[in-house]
Amino acid sequence: MADGLRKGLTSYGDAGFSLFLRKAFIKAMGYSDDALNRPIVGITNTYSDYNPCHGNVPQIIEAVKRGVMLSGAMPFVFPTISIAESFAHPTSMYLRNLMAMDTEEMIRAQPMDAVIVIGGCDKTLPAQIMAAISADLPTVVIPVGPMVVGHHKGEVLGACTDCRRLWGKYRAGEIDDNEIEAVNGRLAPSVGTCMVMGTASTMACITEALGLSLPMSATIPAPHAERFRSAEASGRVAAEMAKTKGPKPSEILTPSSFRNAQVVMQAIGGSTNGLIHLTAIANRSPYKIDLEAFDKLGREVPVLVDLKPSGEHYMEHFHHAGGVPKLMAQLGDLIDLDAKTITGQTLREVVANAEDVPGHDAIRSKANPIKSEGAMAILHGNLAPRGAVIKQSAASPKLLQHTGRAVVFESVEDMTLRVDDPALDVTADDVLVLRNAGPKGAPGMPEAGYLPIPKKLARTGVKDMVRISDARMSGTAFGTIVLHITPESAVGGPLGLVRNGDMIRLDVAKRRIDLLVDEAEVQKRRAALAPAATPDWARRGYAHLFNETILQADEGCDFDFMRAKGK
Ligand code: FES
C-alpha cells in the first residue's frame, strides 16, 4: 500500500500526475525531497481563541513535532473543529458528532501514516477517538491536561465544581456581588481542562485506560513542563507507528480494554457524560457497552480516587499521587493487565512502572475506598424503560431512596423562567422534573439536568433535592440527579406523561425510578399526546441531519449511520 505523500492521491485519472502536482504544490512551503519522502504523522490542531481549555495546544504541537522529527518522520499539522464547553450554542454535545465526522474525514482525505489527535475540552476527546476508530489509522491521543487549582480566601478552588457551589451560595444570598466577581477571576487560573473529575478528566483517564495515550498523560497539569515532554514522547511513538503502520485502534481495542475503561470510570467517580461517550466510542468498533454489565461493575468497583465532586482533591493531586497507572495498580484484578497500549507495552508493564508515592491520599486502596460502590448506577422503571443514570457517588445519601411530588418543567426555557418564581408551588421534598431536554428535544441534550434549587428553598438552606430529566449534567456537578432518561420525552418517552403533583419514587439500591400513577391513567395520557412533528429548527443543514439521525443516550447519541455497522 502507498505511504507517506503517495497515500490517498487526489483523483485526476493519472496517478503519476497526481503525485507530481501534489509535490509541486507542497514544495511551495519550502520542503525538501528528503522531508517529503519521510513517513508522515498528521497532527490535529484544535487551538481556538474560543477555547481556553486548549490554550496550550500550540506549545504541545511544537513538542510533538520535535518528537516526530527526532525520530525521523515528518509532521503535518492540520486544523479541525474545536469545541469549548461554554462557547458552544446550544450545547457542545450538539457538535460532538460534527467534530467526529470532520476529524475522521480529514484523517482519511490527507496523506498520513499515523495521526496524533490533541484534545481535552469535554466533547473533543470523544469526537477524536470516535473518528480515530472509524478511520482506523495508527493513532496517539494527547489530552491537553487539566488546569492547576485556584485559591480564594485560603480555600482551594477548581472549575467547575466550585463554580456551581459558589454560584449556589450567591443565589442563596450567602455571598455578595463583590465576592462572586473575585471568585470569577480565580476559578480558572490557567489554560487546560476543568481540574475536577468532570467529563474532560473522565475522558482523559478513560483514554489512558484504553491504551490510546501515553501513561500519565491524563493527569499532567496543562502548564507543566512534563506535559510538553510527554507530548514530545508522544511524537516519537507516533513516528514509530507511522514507520511500522501499527498498531491501529482495531489492534488495541478489545472487549477487555472497554471493560477496563468502565472499571476506571467507576473508580475515578467519573462523569455521567463519560458513559454516553464511551458507548458511542464502542459503537464505532465491533464491541458494545452493555448498561446492565456497567451497573454490575459499579457494584463491584469502589471509588478510589478522592477528587471533587465525589471527594476532595483535584487533578494535580491525582497526578502527584501516581495518576492512572497507580489507580490501576490499586484496582488489582479488576483490571485486565494483558490489554495492549500504543507503545507496545501491556497495561501490566504500565502498572509495574507506577510510582509509589507515600503520604498522598488522592488515590485510596481497595481497603479504604471513598465509596464502596462505583460512581454511577443504571436505573430502570416505568419512567425509564431503556434506562437512566445517577452519579450516586456525588448524591446525598439520604435522598437515594425518596418518594416525592413532581414539579414539572416543560423545557429548559420554562425551567429558567419559573424555577425562581416565589409563587412556584415547591417544597424541599418534591421531585423537580425537566423534560424536552434530551438529544432531540432540546436539541443536543444540554447539561441542564443540574436543575438549580429554587431560590426560595436555597435561601432556607436547601442544598439538594431529587431532580430528574432526559438531559445531561456536567460531570463537575453534585446532587441527587437522575439523568439521560431514555427514551426522551420528545420521542414519546414516559417522562412526557408526568403531571404536577404525581408521585415519583427513586430507589437507587433497587435501581428503580417509577411514576406512581396507575397504568389506565398513564395510557389515557399517552393517547392524548400530540404526535411528534419535525421542529422548525430542524428543517435544513446540520440541524436536519442531527434531528433525523441522532440516537438516544443508551446508544451513545451518535448519528445512526456513523456506527461501525452503518445504518
Ligand atoms: Fe473545557 Fe471544562 S470547560 S474542560
Side-chain angles (χ1 to χ4, degrees):
M1 198 179 88
D3 54 13
L5 211 66
R6 289 161 189 77
K7 252 188 113 178
L9 290 173
T10 311
S11 177
Y12 293 114
D14 175 347
F17 176 72
S18 294
L19 182 61
F20 171 78
L21 203 67
R22 176 173 282 180
K23 285 179 84 170
F25 276 97
I26 199 69
K27 281 183 175 172
M29 303 279 275
Y31 293 119
S32 65
D33 282 314
D34 179 25
L36 295 175
N37 283 330
R38 304 281 175 146
I40 294 176
V41 176
I43 303 167
T44 66
N45 184 359
T46 54
Y47 179 81
S48 158
D49 284 347
Y50 289 106
N51 195 344
C53 303
H54 290 199
N56 62 352
V57 166
Q59 214 181 332
I60 290 179
I61 288 175
E62 281 314 305
V64 167
K65 286 166 81 173
R66 192 164 62 238
V68 171
M69 288 193 276
L70 283 169
S71 297
M74 189 62 202
F76 274 86
V77 180
F78 63 98
T80 71
I81 298 175
S82 185
I83 309 170
E85 272 308 291
S86 51
F87 282 90
H89 177 81
T91 173
S92 59
M93 188 64 176
Y94 178 69
L95 298 169
R96 184 199 66 183
N97 299 346
L98 184 64
M99 182 173 182
M101 292 172 83
D102 171 19
T103 307
E104 176 185 341
E105 293 309 322
M106 294 319 285
I107 292 172
R108 278 189 210 289
Q110 303 167 130
M112 60 190 83
D113 302 292
V115 64
I116 294 186
V117 293
I118 304 168
C121 194
D122 289 19
K123 309 304 174 291
T124 57
L125 284 181
Q128 291 172 322
I129 297 171
M130 289 156 73
I133 293 173
S134 294
D136 204 27
L137 193 74
T139 303
V140 177
V141 182
I142 302 183
V144 296
M147 296 177 216
V148 292
V149 297
H151 297 265
H152 176 67
K153 290 189 170 170
E155 196 189 349
V156 178
L157 287 191
C160 233
T161 303
D162 297 312
C163 314
R164 292 170 205 285
R165 183 175 59 81
L166 292 165
W167 185 252
K169 280 193 167 189
Y170 175 63
R171 281 173 55 82
E174 291 171 35
I175 60 177
D176 63 18
D177 289 351
N178 288 337
E179 187 165 357
I180 200 73
E181 269 310 305
V183 163
N184 191 255
R186 294 173 180 173
L187 281 162
S190 77
V191 297
T193 48
C194 293
M195 63 291 229
V196 297
M197 193 48 77
T199 307
S201 303
T202 301
M203 293 313 301
C205 293
I206 283 177
T207 305
E208 211 177 306
L210 286 171
L212 296 175
S213 57
L214 291 196
M216 301 299 283
S217 65
T219 52
I220 306 166
H224 280 199
E226 194 185 348
R227 168 64 51 201
F228 307 108
R229 276 193 291 275
S230 175
E232 183 184 306
S234 297
R236 285 181 180 273
V237 169
E240 289 312 312
M241 292 164 89
K243 289 177 200 168
T244 60
K245 309 286 180 275
K248 298 173 184 169
S250 60
E251 293 162 332
I252 292 176
L253 298 174
T254 63
S256 285
S257 40
F258 281 111
R259 188 179 183 281
N260 286 341
Q262 292 174 73
V263 170
V264 164
M265 185 153 55
Q266 292 281 18
I268 58 180
S271 157
T272 45
N273 289 321
L275 182 58
I276 295 185
H277 297 318
L278 189 63
T279 302
I281 287 168
N283 282 343
R284 295 293 184 105
S285 80
Y287 313 114
K288 254 179 95 60
I289 301 300
D290 176 344
L291 291 182
E292 301 315 310
F294 177 73
D295 184 73
K296 192 159 167 284
L297 268 185
R299 294 182 190 263
E300 294 163 19
V301 179
V303 177
L304 296 186
V305 176
D306 187 3
L307 248 67
K308 289 195 173 187
S310 302
E312 285 305 314
H313 295 298
Y314 296 87
M315 282 297 275
E316 63 187 81
H317 307 122
F318 181 21
H319 180 65
H320 297 311
V324 175
K326 181 68 182 172
L327 169 66
M328 292 194 291
Q330 295 288 29
L331 285 164
D333 58 8
L334 288 166
I335 295 286
D336 182 343
L337 295 175
D338 291 326
K340 293 187 210 144
T341 75
I342 47 167
T343 61
Q345 289 186 320
T346 60
L347 288 184
R348 190 178 311 284
E349 290 158 282
V350 171
V351 162
N353 288 328
E355 192 180 346
D356 219 4
V357 188
H360 269 287
D361 60 354
I363 305 173
R364 302 273 192 91
S365 67
K366 276 202 276 187
N368 179 30
I370 301 294
K371 315 264 174 185
S372 56
E373 285 198 9
M376 284 173 250
I378 303 297
L379 310 175
H380 283 91
N382 66 4
L383 263 180
R386 281 167 53 186
V389 65
I390 184 168
K391 187 169 181 177
Q392 55 178 340
S393 62
S396 304
K398 70 176 174 34
L399 289 175
L400 290 174
Q401 270 172 305
H402 181 82
T403 303
R405 203 179 54 133
V407 175
V408 181
F409 299 100
E410 286 299 329
S411 64
V412 178
E413 293 70 30
D414 179 41
M415 188 257 293
T416 309
L417 286 173
R418 293 196 299 120
V419 71
D420 288 336
D421 184 345
L424 182 70
D425 179 13
V426 65
T427 73
D429 290 331
D430 291 339
V431 174
L432 302 182
V433 177
L434 171 65
R435 63 185 169 216
N436 291 309
K440 273 197 182 198
M445 209 181 176
E447 290 187 343
Y450 178 76
L451 284 82
I453 303 294
K455 221 175 220 170
K456 69 178 185 183
L457 297 179
R459 294 214 153 128
T460 66
V462 177
K463 299 265 186 282
D464 193 11
M465 294 171 69
V466 174
R467 289 158 270 179
I468 73 170
S469 73
D470 44 14
R472 294 178 302 114
M473 158 178 105
S474 165
T476 62
F478 176 96
T480 311
I481 298 174
V482 176
L483 302 153
H484 313 177
I485 287 183
T486 308
E488 63 174 314
S489 52
V491 298
L495 195 64
L497 306 174
V498 182
R499 295 203 179 151
N500 281 320
D502 288 349
M503 297 305 282
I504 290 175
R505 184 171 58 215
L506 170 67
D507 188 338
V508 176
K510 292 202 174 113
R511 302 296 196 255
R512 298 286 303 180
I513 178 81
D514 288 295
L515 178 65
L516 306 181
V517 170
D518 73 60
E519 190 51 29
E521 171 63 17
V522 169
Q523 289 310 333
K524 205 166 94 194
R525 292 180 191 178
R526 181 171 295 288
L529 271 186
T534 303
D536 282 346
W537 60 261
R539 297 211 179 276
R540 67 164 296 279
Y542 177 71
H544 181 73
L545 179 73
F546 186 98
N547 187 58
E548 294 291 309
T549 65
I550 188 79
L551 294 165
Q552 293 287 290
D554 59 338
E555 296 184 292
C557 297
D558 201 355
F559 295 148
D560 58 10
F561 60 94
M562 294 303 292
R563 291 172 291 181
K565 62 182 182 191
K567 192 154 183 170

